[in-house]
Amino acid sequence: MRQLTRRIIATLGLRSINSRVLGKMADQEEDFSSLPLPDRFVHKNWKVRKQGYEDSAKEFERTPDESDPAFKPFLLDTGLWKGAVADSNVAAQQEGINALCSFLKYGGIQATRNVTISPIVEKGLSSTRAATKQSALEALLLYIELDKADPIIEDLIPHLSHKQPKIIAAALSALTSIYHAYGCKVVDPKQVLKALPKVFGHADKNVRAEASHLVVELYRWLREAMKPMFWGELKPVQQQDLEKLFEAVKQEPAPKQERFLRSQQAAMALSTGGGGTGEDGGGGDGEEVDEEPVEVDAFDLAEPVNAFSKVPQDLHENLASTKWKDRKDALDALYAVINVPRIKDGPFDEIVRALAKCMKDANIAVVTVAAICVDVLAKGLRKGFGKYRSLVMAPIMEKFKEKKQSVADALGQALDSVFASTSLTDCLDEILEFLKHKNPQVKLETLKFLIRCLKNTRDAPSKPETKSMADAATKLLTESSEVTRSGGAEILGTLMKIMSERAMNPYLDGLDEIRKTKIKEYFEAAEVKAKDKPKPVAAPPKAAPSGQKKVVGKRPATAVKKSAPTPAPHIEEPASAPLHPKPTSGRSIPSKLGGPPKSGLAAPSGGLKLQKKLTGPGGAAPSHTSSPMRNASTPTHEDEPVPAPKFGLGGRGLAGRPLGKPPPTPAEPSARGPSPGLTAAERAELEDLRAEKDRLQRTNEDLRGERSKLSSQIHELQNHNAQLIEDHTRDVLSIKAKETQLVRARSDAEAAEQTVQKQQRELERVRRELGRAVPTTSPARGEVSDQIYRDPGTNGNGHQHPGVTRFDSAPAGVYSARGARNYISSPSEEKENGSLDLTQRNKTSPPPPLNKGVTSSTTATATTATGGSGSPTVDRGGARTKRDNGGAADGGGTNGEPVESWKRAAEVTSQLKARIEQMK
């Protein structure tokens, strides 16, 4: 039973499943292609919607133009595209966005923009499918291509504040792609730059990463000009990270626009279709002109600020103060107000006059801040500052006499900003006037300013201005200062770069080769922005053909009516034979035209009369045209010799004719008329040769520009190398100076140590003198002298060493003969050794006390030892004996304080040694 039940249940289950599958297959087999496309766009089945999106895209591709009826249903109901872009099924959504791209591409209609931008950002750009993201981005780029970028950017900016981080990151990525494709010239970056600080402060790291990518892309186009808009609001760490990313961008070439608006495409197609071979150069110039405005600065990005209303009310009062500190503070306050990228125009006359007056201030700090204020004000007003140029330019240039470099730099920067708001023509008169200044410092700084003006001006100077500048620079070449001479050469080289070498050759004729070589070097290294001067040189060739048309077009019509080729040589040939007009003026032409019917004679005669009438005011050219023809036709009276004298060209064609000489060119049509060899092919050959010549000239110019660029790089490297060598030399000299200071410091330290030791010795001496002055503590004078003059042959116990003669061991002993010999010498020996004689020694210190019982034998022994009783030594010894006896009678012995006596003796000994050292 159980098995039977299971089989029944299985059978019933299979039947139900089969019924469901069959029902679904029936649904799938149902054909919805008959439904209109708008109905399929809103169908509840995603597969129907998907198929409808695909069919609509194919239908749009098959339309012949933008006015096809296929686009009309989707224009009447733009909400269809909103549902297609935001389809709940990701596969259908992808096809819906593709259908929108096809609609925009082939329909060229942007009416659906208001309902599709937000769904594209929220559903398309944030999709998990890469193909959907790419299609959504392509739709945004197509919207910009059809019209302009401002509405799209305005719709994208609110999504930077979305609550979902992925939407913000998707919007930032789309903005990065938009700026990469169209550039900042087409897409205004102001609104995006203002929103960047808020995005960089987002908590999500993906948002901050996309913001960094956007900033790097903007830096490719704007460089440093974008920083004033948001840079100060970023964290220092973020600034450092962005600077590292900017380093890689700085090495890249200037960016170029990759996609173009429909309006730009139309203009490009028009210029390409309307231009011929001769317009290639114009197209190239147009491209250069289009690339230059890409350099956007902070002035173009910033909004004007009404700085005049914020100027302090007491500005003029503080500037009139007698204290320089008050004047400087007032200028600092003014600087804080006007230091903005762009200033709204206002009545700044009084402020500019006050700044000009500050240029004469005696304090250089006030002058520097005033110059900085002029610089900032000129940059903020740009062209609006031009009306104040005459107020400040002369005082600034007059202050160039200040020798401090920081002041000169501030003044030069202010002048550069003033020049940027005006033109070279406005500033040239004052510059040339100050080039004659008697102060060399003013002359030098004015010279540098003129060089900067020539390099930065975008308008080439006129011929009178060029002449005045060249004359002034030529005078500077004779100055005594080498810097001034180099500046004059640089002016001429920069002018040569602007005006071309040919235009400057007349001003270099009187110069020597050394100066010409230096000018050439500056010419090759100069980088200028004014390149419009060579264009007017092509104007004279256009005037020449117009003159030829007047001569060739009118004369043949009146002179000869039957044969068109023959009149051309008659009019063009007089240039080769102008010496035969008068002898035969009226008769030669009838003889020349005698062959044709007689009815043709009246026309030439009438033509001659008309030519004679025209020779008075117009010149003798018409009369000359007839005379050479008559001379050529008189000998033969045939038509064959006529082409013979025509420059002997024969059948050589254009290849054998010189193209460089202008005179033969007007004569070529004369030979071209009768000669059958001058065909259209030869004219095409001439055009090809001219085109080849133009190409060679352009190639030559490019090579010259590259050479000048390489030369400038070499000069920069040489200057850098010289700077490094100078820095190295300065470092070596600094090290040597430090070593010299160290040696001096060591010698000073040693001298100080010696001085300290000397003072210490002097202090000890003073202490000893004080000790001597105290009678109670000092030992007896006899005891000290006894210790000094005691024979060194005795030991500490008073016993005599063997073989050594000594005084008597008694307290009042007498010198022995040996002892006297030790201490007494001849005067010559005393002089030789610089020692004191015995008399002086007796005077300075009393002799040791002798005992009362001194016998005459002892004296005799001393006398015998000294060599006789008549010697001075015996007398001194006798006298000393008497004094010693007296002293012994008065004072006691030396046994009372032996230790103290020894200490005192040692001190006296050290004192004597010190004095001896000083005497040495």
Side-chain angles (χ1 to χ4, degrees), residues 134-317:
Q134 188 63 31
S135 299
L137 179 60
E138 180 66 21
L140 292 178
L141 295 177
L142 284 171
Y143 274 122
I144 296 175
E145 179 182 332
L146 292 174
D147 186 14
K148 56 184 179 179
D150 293 343
I152 308 301
I153 300 300
E154 292 177 358
D155 292 339
L156 287 175
I157 291 296
H159 291 88
L160 298 180
S161 303
H162 202 277
K163 61 181 180 180
Q164 295 184 10
K166 68 175 184 178
I167 304 299
I168 302 176
L172 291 172
S173 178
L175 288 171
T176 304
S177 301
I178 289 172
Y179 283 108
H180 184 80
Y182 292 102
C184 292
K185 181 183 177 182
V186 176
V187 186
D188 191 2
K190 292 181 182 179
Q191 300 180 5
V192 178
L193 289 174
K194 293 178 181 179
L196 284 177
K198 183 178 180 180
V199 178
F200 271 101
H202 201 278
D204 190 84
K205 62 179 182 179
N206 295 327
V207 174
R208 296 196 300 271
E210 290 295 338
S212 300
H213 295 161
L214 176 58
V215 171
V216 171
E217 181 61 36
L218 290 173
Y219 187 81
R220 291 178 64 241
W221 298 90
L222 303 177
R223 299 296 179 179
E224 300 295 327
M226 71 175 186
K227 289 186 176 181
M229 299 292 293
F230 71 99
W231 195 255
E233 302 181 31
L234 301 182
K235 297 179 181 179
V237 178
Q238 294 173 339
Q239 294 179 359
Q240 295 175 3
D241 295 340
L242 290 175
E243 288 292 351
K244 294 178 182 179
L245 297 175
F246 293 162
E247 291 298 327
V249 178
K250 292 178 181 178
Q251 307 300 327
E252 299 177 358
K256 294 183 179 180
Q257 186 176 346
E258 297 180 357
R259 294 186 62 153
F260 298 92
L261 304 178
R262 291 289 174 89
S263 58
Q264 292 177 328
Q265 294 176 14
M268 293 168 61
L270 182 62
S271 62
T272 304
T277 57
E279 294 184 0
D280 294 341
D285 296 340
E287 290 178 1
E288 291 181 0
V289 173
D290 291 340
E291 288 179 1
E292 287 180 359
V294 173
E295 299 178 359
V296 185
D297 57 1
F299 182 84
D300 299 325
L301 299 176
E303 295 292 336
V305 177
N306 188 8
F308 182 78
S309 61
K310 302 177 183 178
V311 175
Q313 299 295 330
D314 57 349
L315 173 65
H316 298 285
E317 297 178 4

Side-chain angles (χ1 to χ4, degrees), residues 359 370-376 378-379 385 389-400 407-423 427 430-431 434 442 444-450 452-453 456:
M359 296 299 164
I372 295 173
C373 290
V374 173
D375 176 28
V376 173
K379 287 180 178 178
F385 192 81
R389 179 199 59 81
S390 59
L391 298 177
V392 296
M393 192 168 179
I396 291 176
M397 299 176 75
E398 186 68 36
K399 196 59 179 179
F400 272 141
V407 181
D409 293 341
L411 295 173
Q413 184 63 35
L415 280 180
D416 291 343
S417 300
V418 172
F419 171 76
S421 63
T422 56
S423 63
C427 304
E430 294 188 28
I431 293 175
F434 276 90
V442 175
L444 179 60
E445 294 297 332
T446 306
L447 181 64
K448 295 178 181 178
F449 173 55
L450 177 57
R452 295 195 300 270
C453 292
N456 295 323

Side-chain angles (χ1 to χ4, degrees), residues 402-614:
E402 182 62 45
K403 295 183 179 180
K404 194 169 183 180
Q405 190 59 36
S406 60
V407 181
D409 293 341
L411 295 173
Q413 184 63 35
L415 280 180
D416 291 343
S417 300
V418 172
F419 171 76
S421 63
T422 56
S423 63
L424 180 62
T425 304
D426 298 334
C427 304
L428 187 59
D429 293 338
E430 294 188 28
I431 293 175
L432 295 177
E433 187 67 27
F434 276 90
L435 281 178
K436 305 174 185 177
H437 203 278
K438 60 182 180 180
N439 192 318
Q441 184 73 16
V442 175
K443 185 183 298 184
L444 179 60
E445 294 297 332
T446 306
L447 181 64
K448 295 178 181 178
F449 173 55
L450 177 57
I451 294 172
R452 295 195 300 270
C453 292
L454 290 174
K455 291 182 178 180
N456 295 323
T457 182
R458 295 186 180 274
D459 299 326
S462 61
K463 289 184 178 180
E465 294 172 351
T466 304
K467 184 179 184 303
S468 60
M469 286 186 286
D471 294 341
T474 306
K475 293 179 182 179
L476 294 176
L477 294 176
T478 60
E479 291 286 337
S480 59
S481 174
E482 196 276 334
V483 181
T484 307
R485 295 196 300 270
S486 299
E490 188 171 359
I491 289 176
L492 291 174
T494 310
L495 273 175
M496 185 181 295
K497 193 75 171 183
I498 299 174
M499 308 297 296
S500 76
E501 296 183 60
R502 182 179 178 184
M504 292 299 296
N505 283 335
Y507 306 106
L508 307 182
D509 290 340
L511 303 179
D512 53 14
E513 292 300 326
I514 298 176
R515 292 173 179 170
K516 287 183 179 179
T517 304
K518 197 165 188 179
I519 293 171
K520 288 284 186 181
E521 292 177 358
Y522 283 115
F523 161 70
E524 294 174 356
E527 295 181 1
V528 297
K529 298 179 181 179
K531 298 180 181 180
D532 298 331
K533 194 61 181 179
K535 294 179 182 177
V537 177
K542 296 180 180 179
S546 62
Q548 290 179 0
K549 289 180 180 179
K550 291 179 181 179
V551 176
V552 178
K554 293 182 179 181
R555 302 300 183 195
T558 56
V560 180
K561 296 182 180 179
K562 288 188 176 181
S563 59
T566 52
H570 304 332
I571 298 170
E572 299 290 341
E573 281 185 5
S576 62
L579 301 176
H580 307 281
K582 293 182 180 179
T584 56
S585 59
R587 299 176 182 177
S588 60
I589 294 180
S591 62
K592 169 72 178 176
L593 302 175
K598 295 181 179 180
S599 60
L601 294 175
S605 62
L608 270 178
K609 292 178 181 179
L610 180 61
Q611 290 177 358
K612 288 179 181 179
K613 292 178 181 179
L614 294 176

Side-chain angles (χ1 to χ4, degrees), residues 661-676:
K661 297 180 181 179
T665 52
E668 287 177 4
S670 64
R672 199 175 300 164
S675 176

Side-chain angles (χ1 to χ4, degrees), residues 536-738:
V537 177
K542 296 180 180 179
S546 62
Q548 290 179 0
K549 289 180 180 179
K550 291 179 181 179
V551 176
V552 178
K554 293 182 179 181
R555 302 300 183 195
T558 56
V560 180
K561 296 182 180 179
K562 288 188 176 181
S563 59
T566 52
H570 304 332
I571 298 170
E572 299 290 341
E573 281 185 5
S576 62
L579 301 176
H580 307 281
K582 293 182 180 179
T584 56
S585 59
R587 299 176 182 177
S588 60
I589 294 180
S591 62
K592 169 72 178 176
L593 302 175
K598 295 181 179 180
S599 60
L601 294 175
S605 62
L608 270 178
K609 292 178 181 179
L610 180 61
Q611 290 177 358
K612 288 179 181 179
K613 292 178 181 179
L614 294 176
T615 53
S623 62
H624 292 311
T625 59
S626 61
S627 58
M629 293 171 51
R630 180 196 60 215
N631 295 333
S633 60
T634 303
T636 59
H637 302 283
E638 299 292 338
D639 292 337
E640 294 179 359
V642 176
K646 293 172 184 175
F647 304 100
L649 296 178
R652 283 165 41 184
L654 281 174
R657 297 171 186 169
L659 297 176
K661 297 180 181 179
T665 52
E668 287 177 4
S670 64
R672 199 175 300 164
S675 176
L678 298 179
T679 60
E682 293 179 348
R683 295 183 181 180
E685 182 183 359
L686 178 60
E687 294 297 332
D688 294 341
L689 291 175
R690 288 177 179 173
E692 183 67 22
K693 180 182 177 182
D694 294 338
R695 283 195 294 271
L696 291 176
Q697 288 179 350
R698 287 195 295 270
T699 305
N700 191 15
E701 291 295 332
D702 296 339
L703 292 176
R704 285 182 180 177
E706 185 177 358
R707 178 186 175 188
S708 63
K709 187 183 298 182
L710 293 176
S711 300
S712 63
Q713 292 178 359
I714 291 173
H715 283 297
E716 290 177 0
L717 292 176
Q718 289 177 351
N719 295 334
H720 184 62
N721 188 20
Q723 185 66 28
L724 292 177
I725 294 173
E726 184 179 355
D727 294 342
H728 176 69
T729 306
R730 191 184 299 112
D731 295 340
V732 172
L733 294 177
S734 177
I735 292 172
K736 290 184 178 180
K738 296 297 182 183

